[in-house]
Amino acid sequence: MEQFRPPSPLSLVGNLSEAWRRWEQRFQLYMIAAGASEKEEEVKIAILLHTIGEEALEVYNTLNITPAGDALTVEEVLKAFKTYCSPQKNVVFERHQFWSYPMSPGIVVDRYITELRQKSKDCEFGQNVDDMIRDKLVFSINDSRLKERLLRDKDLTLNKAIEICRSAEAAKTQIQAMQLNPVVQDASVDTLKKTPHNLRPGQGRIKASNKQTVCTKCGIKHEPRKCPAYGETCHKCKKKNHFSKLCRSNIDKDKPYTKTKMVNNLEADMDTLYIGVVSSDKNETNCWKETVTIRKVPIVFKLDTGADANVLPMQVYHKIPGPVQLPSTKAVLIAFGGARISAEGIVSLECVTSKGSAVLDFLVSRQADKAILGGQACEELQLVKRVDVLTPKSHTLDKLPATKEELVEKYAEVFTGLGEFPGLHHIYMDPEATPVIHACRSVPLSIMDSLKKTLKAYRTEK
C-alpha cells in the first residue's frame, strides 16, 4: 500500500456533489490498486476516514449511520457521505448550468465533450443526451467558419461534429507549424564554367538577380528584356533602341547648351499632379521668372500656371539653411517617353516675394534642375492674377455687331481664305448651353515635322 499515493483530502468548498463524485472515484481506484478491497470492513472504513481529511472526518462524526447488518460497512459510509454532499437536485438549474457552460479558447473538442457529458448527467436528457451535446457544441464554437460548416450539414450527428472539429484542429496546428518552419529548398548547381583569363579587371560572369538597376537606354528601372526604349527612334541621333535624353552622340556639340526635361505628370498617393516642363536654357527670358526668398535665400523660380505641383531641385534644396532631413514621399514624376523620375521627398517652406508670402509644399528631386512654381502657388503669392474680362486697348468700346451682315463685314478675314467651308451651313444654337473652352489638340512629336510641312503647303496653295 505504501507504493500507491492515496487521494487528496475531500474539499467541502464549492460544488460538493462534483467534488464527492471525483473523490469517491479516486478512492475506489486506490483501494483496488493497493489491494485493500479484500480486507475487513473495519480496516476499509479506517482507510476511508484516514484519507478523507479532517473536515470530512468532523462531518462523519455528525452523521447518524445505521448499519443494515451486524457491523457497519464501507459502502454504507460512502452512501452516507454521498447523501450529505448531494443535496436535492434541481433539473432546471442543472440544465441552465449545462447550456451556459462556455467553450474556453484553446480547449480541444474532446476535452470539451467530456466536460459536457459530466454536466449532462443531472440534466435528465434521457435518450436525447447526444443531440443536446451536439447542439451545445455547435452553439459554443468560436470559429465562425467552422460553425458555418457544421450548420450546412442537415444530417449532423454528435460523432460527425466531433470528427469535423478534430479535422479543423489538426489543420490549424499543421498550418501554424508550416508557418513557423518554412521549407527551404536547396539551390542546385547545374553547370560549372571556367572564367576566361582574358577578361579585364572588374569584368566577370553576370549573376542572375532580381535586383533592378537604372537602364542606360531609357533611364528607369525595369525587368530584363522589358526596356520601353527598345524599338524606339532617338530624336537626336535618329538611331534606335534608346531615348534622346540618354543619347551619347556628339551631334549637337557645336550648338549652344540646352538641357530640357519634359515632365508630363506626377503621381502622388491618391492624386495626379501635372507639370509642364522642368528645364534649364541659357536663352530663356525673364518674363515668366520670379525671385522668391526662402529662409533669407533668394531662389529664381519659373512660373508655370499649368503645373499642379511645385518642384525644387536637390542642389537648390541643400542651399536652404535649416533641417537637412527630408520626409519621404511616394510621388513620382513621369518624364517624356515614359521614364519615371522619383521624388526624394516633400518639404513645406515659407516663401516671400515682393507681393506676398505663403507656406508652400515642394517636391524635391535630384533629376530636376529648374525650380518651378505651380499655378496655385503663383496665385497664393499674388504673382499671377486670373482675369475673366477682356478689354480693348482703346478706352472707348467698339460697337458690337447687331446683325449677321455686320458681323461678317467686321470680321471678314474669318469668313474668307484659309478655313472657309464651301456652301452655306446653318448652325443651331442652344441658349441653355454652357460655354466651354477646349484645349488645343496635342500633336505627337513623331509627326510634328510632317504636320508643319503639310500646313505650310496648304497656306502656299491659298
Side-chain angles (χ1 to χ4, degrees), residues 288-303:
W288 289 103
K289 292 184 179 180
E290 183 68 24
T291 301
V292 181
T293 303
I294 301 178
R295 296 178 183 174
K296 300 181 180 181
V297 177
I299 301 174
V300 178
F301 281 87
K302 181 179 179 180
L303 308 183

Side-chain angles (χ1 to χ4, degrees), residues 104-316:
S104 304
I107 189 173
V108 296
V109 63
D110 293 325
R111 172 69 181 276
Y112 187 63
I113 291 297
T114 302
E115 295 176 353
L116 290 180
R117 289 193 180 279
Q118 296 296 337
K119 295 285 184 181
S120 64
K121 285 186 176 181
D122 298 329
C123 295
E124 298 182 1
F125 287 138
Q127 297 180 354
N128 298 327
V129 60
D130 287 349
D131 294 341
M132 299 296 105
I133 295 177
R134 176 203 61 191
D135 296 346
K136 175 58 180 172
L137 174 63
V138 175
F139 300 159
S140 303
I141 289 177
N142 299 320
D143 190 347
S144 58
R145 293 185 178 179
L146 179 58
K147 182 181 294 187
E148 180 181 358
R149 180 182 176 185
L150 294 173
L151 292 175
R152 285 200 302 263
D153 194 341
K154 297 181 180 180
D155 301 327
L156 184 66
T157 61
L158 177 60
N159 293 332
K160 187 183 294 185
I162 294 175
E163 290 298 328
I164 294 176
C165 293
R166 286 173 180 172
S167 301
E169 291 176 353
K172 184 177 181 181
T173 304
Q174 294 169 1
I175 291 176
Q176 293 177 354
M178 293 172 64
Q179 292 177 349
L180 294 176
N181 300 317
V183 179
V184 179
Q185 298 181 355
D186 296 334
S188 59
V189 179
D190 296 332
T191 308
L192 295 178
K193 296 182 180 180
K194 291 185 178 181
T195 303
H197 298 284
N198 56 353
L199 289 178
R200 292 179 294 176
Q203 290 185 336
R205 183 175 57 192
I206 300 177
K207 297 181 179 180
S209 174
N210 292 329
K211 184 178 180 180
Q212 298 179 358
T213 58
V214 178
C215 178
T216 58
K217 303 295 184 181
C218 63
I220 62 175
K221 295 181 179 181
H222 56 77
E223 297 181 1
R225 301 182 181 275
K226 292 186 178 181
C227 180
Y230 181 77
E232 300 294 333
T233 303
C234 174
H235 300 294
K236 185 177 181 181
C237 66
K238 305 303 179 182
K239 295 182 181 180
K240 290 185 175 296
N241 302 331
H242 68 275
F243 290 145
S244 58
K245 65 176 184 177
L246 297 176
C247 183
R248 299 181 181 180
S249 63
N250 297 325
I251 189 171
D252 297 332
K253 185 175 181 181
D254 298 333
K255 294 184 179 181
Y257 172 76
T258 301
K259 183 178 181 180
T260 304
K261 292 181 181 178
M262 298 292 295
V263 181
N264 294 333
N265 58 5
L266 180 147
E267 297 177 352
D269 297 338
M270 295 296 294
D271 302 327
T272 300
L273 306 178
Y274 292 90
I275 299 178
V277 179
V278 180
S279 65
S280 64
D281 195 335
K282 295 182 179 180
N283 298 326
E284 287 183 344
T285 61
N286 296 327
C287 59
W288 289 103
K289 292 184 179 180
E290 183 68 24
T291 301
V292 181
T293 303
I294 301 178
R295 296 178 183 174
K296 300 181 180 181
V297 177
I299 301 174
V300 178
F301 281 87
K302 181 179 179 180
L303 308 183
D304 189 353
T305 57
D308 293 339
N310 308 315
V311 180
L312 196 64
M314 180 62 73
Q315 62 270 22
V316 177

